[in-house]
Amino acid sequence: RAKEMGGNCFSFYSQEMNERFENLLKMETALRRAVANEEFFLQYQPRICAHTQQIIGIEALLRWNHPEGEMVLPSCFIPQLEESGLIVQVGTWVIREACRQNKLWQDMGFEPLCVSVNLSSRQFRSESLVNTVSSALADSGLEPRYLELELTESLLVDNTEHAISLMHALKELGIALSIDDFGTGYSSLSYLKRFPIDCLKIDRSFITDIASNAKDAAIVEAISTLAHNLGIGLVAEGVENINQAKLLKGFGCTEMQGYFYSKPIDANHLASILNQLGSSTLSTKVAKLMH
Ligand code: C2E
Ligand code: MG
Ligand code: MG
Ligand code: MG
């Protein structure tokens, strides 16, 4: 657009926009440095079976160890990674690191867990995704069934035919696919019939007020029935208290994730929890220990 206008595009910007642009550039420079200096790391949030209370999986969540301060959460930098295209490189690292770490836990003798990795739309659109995933599996030695990719609804609507064939190619590798933040995007139910999906993750926004809001409760119950009848898994995201957990269990929700069970934690913290748990059963006592 700047080229079309000719000359110095900055003269078309207000002071405020100029500053925003400069901040964005600074951010991008910092993120490029972060990639080069390997300042990213992963935390893991347990996913719990509603019936046995066992940890059955973990979600890998990206964090930025900023040199000048504290741990930075993804909402502060994922959009910029997306915009700059750096997300493909970082996302590849996330997939590889999650596979490596998960295989390491298995080699340490823990019960095998499935690790979930979030995908951005840019990654989903990149030519190399299937190769990236298959080489991450091959290089780590992780069995494909212990990797799940989380897609969002918005990522699937652009080019549906392409999305479906890509998803089938990913499924052929033997990994699992889930829909993240389910219910917040464009949820055409007919797509659920065509997408090779293993699991729905109900967005936290439906869970928060589930005890007081009859509409949220009705939506969650309906999604639960839908998942059951489709023969796919269901995870409730953002479960923060026992009340929500009980209601969700009553609605037939089979898996839970949220602060009530555990916040996202560092890899070594998770290992020590798995160690204490032995059979990885989460008793209420230990759930408290994890906060
Ligand atoms: P998400 O995939 O829906 O992940 C769940 C988010 O909810 C995480 O935030 C998690 O810390 C938070 N959460 C979990 N349980 C609770 C709870 O009980 N209460 C509350 N209030 N929050 C809870 P986080 O780690 O800040 O990540 C935010 C989003 O950033 C993720 O949402 C995901 O979409 C994205 N993200 C994280 N890691 C990656 C990544 O490696 N690649 C891509 N493309 N996106 C990522
Ligand atoms: Mg997720
Ligand atoms: Mg996500
Ligand atoms: Mg989510």
Side-chain angles (χ1 to χ4, degrees):
R1 180 149 167 82
K3 266 184 197 151
E4 281 166 29
M5 293 182 207
N8 181 4
C9 65
F10 290 106
S11 59
F12 292 94
Y13 289 110
S14 66
Q15 180 63 27
E16 199 180 308
M17 283 178 84
N18 219 332
E19 273 166 20
R20 253 200 61 202
F21 191 67
E22 270 170 26
N23 284 337
L24 204 76
L25 277 179
K26 259 187 218 156
M27 183 71 168
E28 221 182 288
T29 309
L31 285 170
R32 278 185 202 283
R33 214 178 34 224
V35 171
N37 297 350
E38 298 173 19
E39 289 165 9
F40 292 106
F41 69 103
L42 297 180
Q43 285 193 319
Y44 297 89
Q45 187 178 37
R47 179 157 145 183
I48 277 91
C49 171
H51 298 289
T52 65
Q53 301 282 96
Q54 280 190 322
I55 298 176
I56 46 173
I58 44 191
E59 178 171 3
L61 294 158
L62 184 60
R63 269 88 181 94
W64 179 14
N65 205 346
H66 197 282
E68 281 159 37
E70 302 188 355
M71 181 180 89
V72 189
L73 292 172
S75 58
C76 301
F77 62 86
I78 293 264
Q80 288 84 351
L81 284 179
E82 276 270 343
E83 217 166 314
S84 62
L86 280 168
I87 189 71
V88 177
Q89 194 182 339
V90 176
T92 297
W93 176 81
V94 174
I95 295 169
R96 295 184 64 83
E97 174 61 12
C99 289
R100 185 198 66 79
Q101 180 61 259
N102 200 24
K103 179 64 164 66
L104 186 65
W105 281 321
Q106 291 182 11
D107 291 345
M108 286 164 74
F110 297 125
E111 287 284 311
L113 303 172
C114 182
V115 68
S116 304
V117 171
N118 292 280
L119 272 200
S120 82
S121 64
R122 198 100 172 216
Q123 272 177 291
F124 194 68
R125 281 187 274 121
S126 97
E127 296 275 302
S128 54
L129 180 62
V130 176
N131 268 331
T132 298
V133 174
S134 70
S135 62
L137 291 168
D139 294 346
S140 64
L142 183 73
E143 276 180 64
R145 63 183 159 138
Y146 297 121
L147 175 65
E148 176 181 79
L149 295 181
E150 296 190 1
L151 317 171
T152 54
E153 294 159 277
S154 60
L155 185 150
L156 303 172
V157 293
D158 280 356
N159 184 348
T160 310
E161 289 311 315
H162 175 72
I164 290 173
S165 69
L166 182 51
M167 288 169 84
H168 280 290
L170 289 168
K171 283 299 298 171
E172 265 164 38
L173 297 177
I175 67 169
L177 296 177
S178 64
I179 299 194
D180 200 3
D181 309 333
F182 185 75
T184 58
Y186 179 89
S187 341
S188 164
L189 298 181
S190 70
Y191 284 149
L192 283 179
K193 200 169 66 177
R194 303 177 62 208
F195 290 145
I197 281 294
D198 301 285
C199 179
L200 301 178
K201 299 190 78 174
I202 309 176
D203 191 67
R204 176 162 61 90
S205 59
F206 299 109
I207 311 298
T208 308
D209 298 324
I210 194 169
S212 57
N213 187 321
K215 288 182 182 174
D216 283 339
I219 290 168
V220 170
E221 193 172 16
I223 296 174
S224 175
T225 305
L226 179 69
H228 275 294
N229 293 345
L230 288 170
I232 60 181
L234 185 71
V235 184
E237 298 193 278
V239 182
E240 292 185 347
N241 57 57
I242 194 157
N243 231 359
Q244 293 166 338
K246 278 185 181 159
L247 284 167
L248 286 161
K249 207 175 160 191
F251 290 150
C253 184
T254 48
E255 296 171 36
M256 316 275 188
Q257 200 180 320
Y259 293 171
F260 175 62
Y261 300 96
S262 171
K263 290 194 166 176
I265 51 180
D266 290 351
N268 53 10
H269 188 180
L270 181 69
S272 76
I273 284 166
L274 292 176
N275 235 334
Q276 288 175 62
L277 290 172
S279 67
S280 55
T281 300
L282 245 187
S283 71
T284 318
K285 222 175 170 182
V286 180
K288 288 222 176 78
L289 218 155
M290 294 166 84
H291 282 280

